[in-house]
């Protein structure tokens, strides 16, 4: 069965995900047209799982919460931090597992998917690829017109990912942001 593309939206919506098993940051941003801020935050937060819980249950919780975000906001694109080599193998594995869940759900929802490295995100948002967490939080606050620094840092990182994508994809529209998919009947 063919699933048609979703309707074209005037202002693209992007779901940014900073993958993590204990704290998975998310931000749903909509590009603004005019005004002093480039995007508005529709949702910003963290999906938390209990460290003592079984891995399968933790991944299922992330799956459920990301599914809810996709259903509620119908983003045009899902942007996730690209998994890179990490000194802590256990952390790298859990980040990769969460990333796999998110990538799969985004594809099933028909969203365009983009991945950016931390250096690309920092460069696009703060103008410097070595910016620290506080600098990213301050830039996210300023660029979204937030009253305070986004907390925790995982949520700010997710917003930075979405801002990076909006900056790198100025021609983003519903027509080129969606991917077609076939679903076996």
């Amino acid at each position: 069965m063919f699933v048609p593309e979703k309707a074209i939206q005037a202002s693209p919506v992007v779901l940014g995900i900073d993958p993590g098993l204990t704290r998975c940051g998310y931000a749903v941003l909509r590009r603004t047209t005019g005004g002093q801020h480039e995007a508005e935050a529709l949702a910003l937060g963290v999906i938390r799982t209990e460290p003592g819980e079984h891995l399968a249950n933790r991944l299922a919780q992330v799956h459920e919460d990301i599914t809810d975000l996709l259903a509620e906001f119908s983003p045009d694109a899902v942007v996730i931090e690209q998994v890179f080599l990490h000194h802590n193998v256990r952390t790298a594995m859990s980040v990769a597992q969460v990333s796999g869940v998110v990538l799969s759900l985004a594809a099933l929802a028909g969203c365009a998917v983009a991945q950016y490295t931390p250096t690309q995100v920092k460069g696009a948002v703060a103008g410097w690829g070595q910016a620290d967490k506080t600098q990213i939080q301050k830039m996210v606050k300023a660029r979204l017109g937030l009253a305070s620094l986004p907390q925790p840092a995982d949520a700010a990182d997710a917003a930075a990912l979405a801002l990076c994508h909006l900056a790198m994809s100025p021609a983003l529209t519903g027509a080129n942001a969606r991917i077609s998919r076939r679903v076996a009947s």
Side-chain angles (χ1 to χ4, degrees):
M1 166 173 100
F2 177 76
V3 178
E5 292 180 355
K6 294 181 183 174
I8 296 174
Q9 296 179 359
S11 297
V13 174
V14 176
L15 170 59
I17 299 291
D18 180 32
L21 190 56
T22 301
R23 289 180 322 276
C24 180
Y26 67 87
V28 182
L29 305 184
R30 179 183 5 236
R31 178 178 297 168
T32 56
T33 54
Q36 63 184 27
H37 304 291
E38 62 193 271
E40 69 174 312
L42 304 177
L44 189 67
V46 173
I47 297 167
R48 296 181 190 276
T49 66
E50 291 298 322
E53 188 72 33
H54 189 276
L55 173 63
N57 293 336
R58 295 174 77 185
L59 291 172
Q61 180 64 51
V62 171
H63 180 283
E64 183 178 315
D65 290 348
I66 296 295
T67 298
D68 291 346
L69 288 168
L70 290 167
E72 182 176 352
F73 295 102
S74 298
D76 296 285
V78 174
V79 184
I80 189 165
E81 186 173 278
Q82 188 169 9
V83 177
F84 62 100
L85 290 178
H86 198 279
H87 293 94
N88 184 331
V89 175
R90 178 172 283 178
T91 299
M93 289 295 295
S94 65
V95 168
Q97 290 167 320
V98 170
S99 294
V101 168
V102 173
L103 292 170
S104 175
L105 289 170
L108 288 171
C111 299
V113 176
Q115 293 182 282
Y116 298 102
T117 65
T119 302
Q120 287 174 306
V121 174
K122 292 173 183 182
V125 174
W128 183 49
Q130 300 302 311
D132 64 26
K133 293 273 188 194
T134 303
Q135 290 169 311
I136 294 300
Q137 286 175 297
K138 287 178 181 178
M139 289 305 296
V140 167
K141 176 186 179 232
R143 293 176 75 172
L144 296 178
L146 301 175
S148 60
L149 292 179
Q151 295 289 342
D154 307 280
D157 290 347
L161 279 154
L163 284 167
C164 174
H165 187 68
L166 288 171
M168 294 195 150
S169 303
L172 181 68
T173 65
N176 69 6
R178 299 283 177 192
I179 57 172
S180 298
R181 64 183 173 99
R182 294 191 180 269
V183 178
S185 8

